[in-house]
Amino acid sequence: MRTAIIYASKHGTSGKVADIISGKLSAHDVTVYSLAKNGNPDIGCYDLVIIGGPIYAGNPLDAMKKFCEKNLSDLLQKKVGLYLCCMNKAEQQSYMENSFPEELRKHSSASVIAGGEMILENMSFFERLIVRFVAKTKKSVSAIDYQAIDKFVEEIK
């Protein structure tokens, strides 16, 4: 099965999750696209399209939302999986609802909140200040949910 994993990322965690998913789909012919590097990849030749990205301050990155909106009619003709990277467990469902069009969410074969990371070394000075204030942490945190990713991959296969 030809598979495209398309993600938006600000500090690299969504790309890391894309690579984890890609590795677990080794029986597939997988291509991973960063929206920052590839803009609007052509999904015409893919059977499965997995789309993901992060949540920052309660919002998804515009690149991911715009990709979904621009390609919605094509995506609805494909098998689709959706993932988000975020640390706020209490708001996960609303983040999923606000990140992807309702029609796409209903069409998707699987979706997952893949956990997240706050890697302070990758953040600007102001981002670190905000994270220290809001998350009350002075060190980097990695909370990628590998079990949830495994379940997602099994569902999408």
Side-chain angles (χ1 to χ4, degrees):
M1 180 178 287
R2 294 213 54 205
T3 302
I5 302 175
I6 301 167
Y7 71 92
S9 189
K10 190 169 182 182
H11 296 298
T13 302
S14 297
K16 185 185 290 187
V17 170
D19 290 338
I20 292 167
I21 293 169
S22 175
K24 293 179 181 298
L25 292 172
S26 58
H28 293 222
D29 177 10
V30 180
T31 305
V32 177
Y33 295 101
S34 162
L35 289 172
K37 294 177 185 172
N38 301 103
N40 187 35
D42 181 5
I43 60 171
C45 65
Y46 294 100
D47 306 300
L48 168 61
V49 179
I50 299 171
I51 305 164
I55 296 294
Y56 283 100
N59 296 300
L61 292 182
D62 281 342
M64 184 182 72
K65 283 190 82 161
K66 288 178 182 176
F67 175 82
C68 292
E69 290 166 1
K70 186 174 188 177
N71 295 283
L72 184 60
S73 62
D74 291 334
L75 289 166
L76 294 174
Q77 304 303 313
K78 308 281 181 187
K79 185 173 183 180
V80 174
L82 307 172
Y83 75 89
L84 286 178
C85 295
C86 70
M87 303 282 286
N88 184 343
K89 293 182 186 250
E91 298 295 325
Q92 290 177 343
Q93 186 59 37
S94 67
Y95 291 156
M96 188 64 78
E97 291 170 4
N98 293 330
S99 297
F100 299 103
E102 180 180 6
E103 201 173 358
L104 186 59
R105 287 192 327 271
K106 288 180 177 179
H107 173 75
S108 71
S109 299
S111 62
V112 67
I113 302 294
E117 293 182 312
M118 291 184 288
I119 308 299
L120 297 178
E121 299 80 31
N122 294 347
M123 296 179 186
S124 71
F125 173 76
F126 292 110
E127 288 171 322
R128 285 193 304 271
L129 281 177
I130 292 167
V131 166
R132 287 179 181 160
F133 177 73
V134 173
K136 299 182 183 4
T137 184
K138 293 182 180 180
K139 60 183 181 175
S140 294
V141 176
S142 180
I144 294 174
D145 190 340
Y146 294 96
Q147 289 179 328
I149 294 169
D150 287 343
K151 184 179 177 203
F152 170 77
V153 169
E154 287 306 311
E155 289 176 15
I156 205 74
K157 284 182 179 179

